[in-house]
Amino acid sequence: GSHYTGEKPEGFIALQIDAATAFGSGEHETTRGCLLALEYLLQQGRSFNNGLDMGCGSGILAIAMIKLWPVIGAIAVDIDPESVIVTNRHASMNGVGDKIRAEAGDGYNVPLVAQKAPYDIITANILANPLIEMAPALEKSLRPGGYAVLSGLLARQKDEVVAAHERL
């Protein structure tokens, strides 16, 4: 948060995210899991140029993508207009405001999503049912060989979410 004035830990990438009116401070297990998955992809030597953060909340995952892969451009979409305001503020606070375009709207139906597709990587840290319902749209938006980082579900919902995406 912006209240932190200490030194950033060596060997880490600092993300400044204030607790706000949008989900995604990095403290919740699903957000943390997405951040760890992104870090894992970096460690595996994966590189990305075009990212989408679906259900962006605070914008933390779009910002993380840019911090991990500085050449990437990212689209951040959320159904809640307040999330777009918060995402833009966090992007600016983290020095990546020029690399993120945030828009409010109905998920993959936002025109900007189709304009910038296909994506090398898509993150979606939302609930299980929307993940399942949005699986066909994710498949159409993800380039062949691209990566989807999905979270926001309970362990007992995993098989259903995975099955919806693997079918595609």
Side-chain angles (χ1 to χ4, degrees):
S2 55
H3 64 280
Y4 181 78
T5 58
E7 292 291 317
K8 66 181 180 183
E10 197 164 316
F12 287 86
I13 296 172
L15 298 178
Q16 187 176 35
I17 305 292
D18 283 330
T21 53
F23 180 79
S25 67
E27 298 295 321
H28 193 273
E29 292 84 359
T30 62
T31 308
R32 186 177 302 242
C34 289
L35 293 170
L36 290 170
L38 292 174
E39 181 182 35
Y40 174 79
L41 290 170
L42 178 71
Q43 290 169 348
Q44 296 302 305
R46 305 296 188 260
S47 61
F48 304 106
N49 295 310
N50 191 24
L52 172 62
D53 182 3
M54 181 55 65
C56 64
S58 69
I60 188 171
L61 298 178
I63 294 165
M65 283 190 252
I66 293 167
K67 293 287 188 170
L68 292 169
W69 297 281
V71 299
I72 202 171
I75 302 300
V77 173
D78 202 290
I79 199 163
D80 180 7
E82 179 67 17
S83 290
V84 172
I85 294 166
V86 173
T87 292
N88 285 329
R89 182 171 58 242
H90 287 148
S92 180
M93 286 169 46
N94 284 277
V96 297
D98 61 332
K99 299 196 116 208
I100 293 177
R101 288 192 53 196
E103 286 197 17
D106 184 20
Y108 291 93
N109 295 322
V110 172
L112 179 63
V113 173
Q115 290 169 9
K116 297 295 183 177
Y119 298 92
D120 303 304
I121 186 165
I122 297 174
T123 60
N125 184 18
I126 54 180
L127 300 173
N129 285 338
L131 285 173
I132 292 166
E133 292 168 12
M134 297 167 96
L138 183 148
E139 188 268 336
K140 288 178 183 164
S141 299
L142 187 65
R143 79 161 171 78
Y147 286 83
V149 175
L150 308 177
S151 191
L153 53 139
L154 300 172
R156 63 181 162 77
Q157 299 168 318
K158 179 188 112 183
D159 291 340
E160 190 177 0
V161 172
V162 169
H165 290 82
E166 283 183 340
R167 278 193 293 271
L168 300 168

